Amino acid sequence: MKIQIIVALVFFAIFAALLPGTHYIYVANADYYMGQFVTVASVLLMWISLFAGFASLFFHKIKKVYQSIANG
């Protein structure tokens, strides 16, 4: 269980770091076409890290549900 908590904390730290950072990326680079892609990529990374943090906390429960469905 310690590994899942550590992984979740890493993902939550990524989310917390990107939360204010994506605004600055947008302000600095949104007038360029490539800057818009960088902004979208950073926002997607931010939200994926949040969902991955929650998924890592509930990994064992998700794994049990998946195995019960897969085994019938």
Side-chain angles (χ1 to χ4, degrees), residues 41-71:
S42 63
V43 168
L44 286 175
L45 178 66
M46 178 183 72
W47 287 108
I48 288 170
S49 66
L50 179 67
F51 294 131
F54 284 120
S56 67
L57 288 176
F58 298 109
F59 176 74
H60 290 295
K61 291 182 182 182
I62 294 170
K63 184 178 175 182
K64 285 180 186 178
V65 169
Y66 176 75
Q67 287 178 345
S68 67
I69 293 170
N71 293 335

